[in-house]
Amino acid sequence: MSAAPRHFEIEQAGEAWRQLNNPGSSQQIKEARFQLPAWYRHDLDPLGTPYRDQQLALWRAITGRSDYQPDRDEETPEVARLDPIRRPGLYSANDAMVAGDHLMAMGHILKISGLTARQRPRILEYGAGFGQIALTFARIGFSVETVDISAHYCNAVAASSEHYKVDLTPYIGTFGYNPAGQSHAYDLVFFYESFHHCLDFQSLVHRLAELLKPGGKVLLAGEPIVTNAPDIMPYPWGIRLDGENIAVTHARGWMELGFQEEFLVRLFETAGFRFAKHPCVNSHYATVYEFVRPE
Amino acid sequence: MKAGSQPARPVQIDRQDGHSPLWLGFPDVDPLGRPALAVFSSLEQSLGNRLLIADEWLSSELPIARARLIERVRNGHRIFCFGIGAGARAALFFGSVLRAERVITWAPSAAPGAGPLDAAAVAMAYDIASSPPPPHLTSSALTVHITSSSDTVDTDIALARSLRPAVGIRLDRIEGIPYSALEQALAQTNYLSRMIEAIDHGRPLPKPHHLQRSWLSAFAHQIALDPALSPSEEGGFALRGTLRNSSPKAFSIERFERDLIRVGARIISPGDDLTQPRSARFSFGSGALQADATLPFWLEVPREAVARGFEARVALVCEGRFWFDDHQFPNATLSVSADVLQKWSAK
């Protein structure tokens, strides 16, 4: 019988980070949960500005930083040390299970995209990181653009593009930036482990409808979208309260949000999308949320 | 490096129709401190009166250059800025000031001492970019395009990171071509024209993958050396040869002169420091070298080299920048031992 998870106060985020890096206590922190501070209000409208401001206040309490700036707080400088061709992120974790999760997710995204070269599709990935899925689409023969706030990640994508001589172009930019410069240019916009870093996801969802061609789709995978996890996600959306996430947020400053599935799906449907869920029993990273913009 | 030691070739056309974008080219600085104009001459045909060479940024104080440029683009509703190296930094700086729609740059961190703008000054322009634009200039979303050469990737990324995050920055890389050869590669291919055409027609920009291959094709040439040496008037030997244009179009010899492209030889004698070869040069003069035509040249092998025998490696050189044979273009070599030279001398 496993022990009940430990509960921490937000003020203990730094201590959680230290314990996470200690092999003796690492697992305990991963299973731990954080409690919301006493000042947190549960009666706010999740679509309203006060709710968003309250989440930012929670982020400040966890990180000790004064204001959230994605170009600074979402940075991953160690990426510059990795070889983007031979050992991009999914391989450099030195863990077959990690690589397997990512590769299954990649396969599922590719398959559910339903695209063929005959359609000459144009694809956009937000928060692409090393852009391995984008690269695979490009190697099939599609035109692919990526947007990431990190210049280091974009540089890695540029290196892959040059190495494989494919139509893959990275842009340094924020969520919602449109490299095409015109509306309704894309057949597919996808996010892999990135949508949950977007604080202004509400406006982004509406923006996605503008980016897509009629019949185009948005795919989300590897996202913390939960159906019943009140200890981690006790609100429609917000910072995830599991121990590892709070510890990492404290140390890195990343915006690590999560979503209740019902809330997020309704948001997309309100923006005019049609929803389908493609679960994967082998890896939750490969569960794909598909949102189609009607013809 | 000080700009303006020699007058720039006047390639300035100020008129445009107000609807098509006005392209502002910001020259880099060549090894003699002059505005480097090679890349612009290839665009005269495709851009016509939509091209404006903004060389005042090299010869005037920045506030004066800014005022002049604002005046010159007064009728330009859409402005695109572009440049290489120091000119790329100017394109970034004035692109922000002039509220350009696009800024297209190659190796913007290169040539750090050239011109009055460093990367920090460029970043500062993006910090203050929220200030209101001059009233006659429209405010539009700025897209920045940075293509790194093979030796400027890391410093270009550092520069990109210093720009304001709201800007979308397109990143590309050219693996096979360093900064020193970039301008010639762009000037001698139709890459820029294809890029402009793509933008004009709303198509995706060409990828730089094929730039090196296009350059090898567009500037294809062969060099042949005559194995017979002849005594020269200077007391050494004259090494004679021919340059053959094996590309599909004529080479402009005037452009060779302007861009400091010559036939050069690196001459090594036994016992010499291999890193410090003696050199010889041949300047072409004027005219054109038609496709498939050949042009004779001769190079002076100095007396000191002759006495000990030598090996001469002959190739085209862009003075102060690069040797073409370092970028997969051909060379020709001639090795002559001291014994053979003595026999020839005795004849």
Side-chain angles (χ1 to χ4, degrees), chain A residues 18-38:
Chain A
R18 278 186 291 278
Q19 291 192 34
L20 186 67
N21 288 286
N22 178 352
S25 55
S26 174
Q27 188 57 35
Q28 215 176 9
I29 293 300
K30 287 177 182 173
E31 292 167 1
R33 301 290 181 261
F34 274 75
Q35 293 172 332
L36 286 169

Side-chain angles (χ1 to χ4, degrees), chain A residues 47-98:
Chain A
L47 298 177
T49 303
Y51 185 106
R52 177 187 180 278
D53 291 345
Q54 183 170 244
Q55 281 294 330
L56 266 178
L58 183 60
W59 177 86
R60 285 195 295 271
I62 295 166
T63 62
R65 303 184 188 198
S66 56
D67 58 336
Y68 174 63
Q69 295 176 26
D71 61 311
R72 178 197 66 194
D73 296 312
E74 296 289 341
E75 189 52 279
T76 317
E78 65 270 26
V79 169
R81 295 197 300 270
L82 299 176
D83 181 336
I85 309 298
R86 293 180 61 246
R87 302 244 311 157
L90 74 101
Y91 303 107
S92 59
N94 300 316
D95 187 326
M97 191 178 290
V98 170

Side-chain angles (χ1 to χ4, degrees), chain A residues 155 162 166 168-170 172, chain B residues 161 169 171 173 175 207 209:
Chain A
N155 187 33
E162 178 70 5
V166 290
L168 170 64
T169 308
I172 304 171
Chain B
R161 294 184 68 206
I169 303 174
L171 288 185
R173 286 165 68 150
E175 294 294 356
K207 298 291 289 180
H209 302 144

Side-chain angles (χ1 to χ4, degrees), chain B residues 135-201:
Chain B
H136 65 282
L137 295 174
T138 56
S139 181
S140 56
L142 173 68
T143 299
V144 172
H145 184 169
I146 295 177
T147 301
S148 295
S149 54
S150 58
D151 53 351
T152 63
V153 171
D154 291 342
T155 47
D156 285 347
I157 290 300
L159 190 149
R161 294 184 68 206
S162 72
L163 303 180
R164 73 187 162 113
V167 170
I169 303 174
R170 173 180 166 134
L171 288 185
D172 276 310
R173 286 165 68 150
I174 303 174
E175 294 294 356
I177 302 177
Y179 160 69
S180 57
L182 193 53
E183 181 167 40
Q184 282 303 316
L186 290 169
Q188 289 160 358
T189 61
N190 63 355
Y191 181 85
L192 286 177
S193 300
R194 282 174 51 216
M195 185 189 74
I196 289 162
E197 196 181 320
I199 289 172
D200 279 349
H201 292 90

